[in-house]
Amino acid sequence: NNETLARSYIRKATDRLDVLDLLERKGAWSDVIREAQETVELALYGDIDFIPTEQYSPEDAAEAREGARLAVTAARKLAGLEP
């Protein structure tokens, strides 16, 4: 069911945060960026599966946009493109 699938995606995304920490400690910057992108994707899939796809709201879109903005900001900081 959708709720089980959503919880699974969110659990996987949460577990990947530990992987990001490890990759960062090793200085594997390109791997951090790619893994962060996949983590955001998993988390968003989890959120989407909690919401019936035919009933998205402007607030849902704003939340997804903000998540993407946060991911890009984090990637830019890791790449040294922002202070």
Side-chain angles (χ1 to χ4, degrees):
N1 78 27
N2 274 6
E3 185 173 339
T4 301
L5 183 60
R7 290 183 191 284
S8 174
Y9 281 139
I10 292 170
R11 185 172 36 258
K12 288 177 185 182
T14 301
D15 290 344
R16 286 184 182 214
L17 294 176
D18 294 333
V19 173
L20 289 173
D21 291 340
L22 173 66
L23 292 171
E24 186 176 4
R25 283 194 305 274
K26 292 181 171 269
W29 307 121
S30 63
D31 292 330
V32 170
I33 300 300
R34 182 65 198 134
E35 193 68 30
Q37 291 169 336
E38 291 179 14
T39 301
V40 168
E41 199 172 302
L42 280 171
L44 290 176
Y45 283 157
D47 285 345
I48 288 169
D49 282 335
F50 275 121
I51 304 167
T53 55
E54 62 275 358
Q55 295 181 12
Y56 288 126
S57 69
E59 292 80 14
D60 296 330
E63 188 174 324
R65 188 179 64 244
E66 184 59 27
R69 181 175 285 117
L70 288 171
V72 169
T73 298
R76 290 181 57 82
K77 285 181 181 177
L78 286 171
L81 300 173
E82 286 186 14

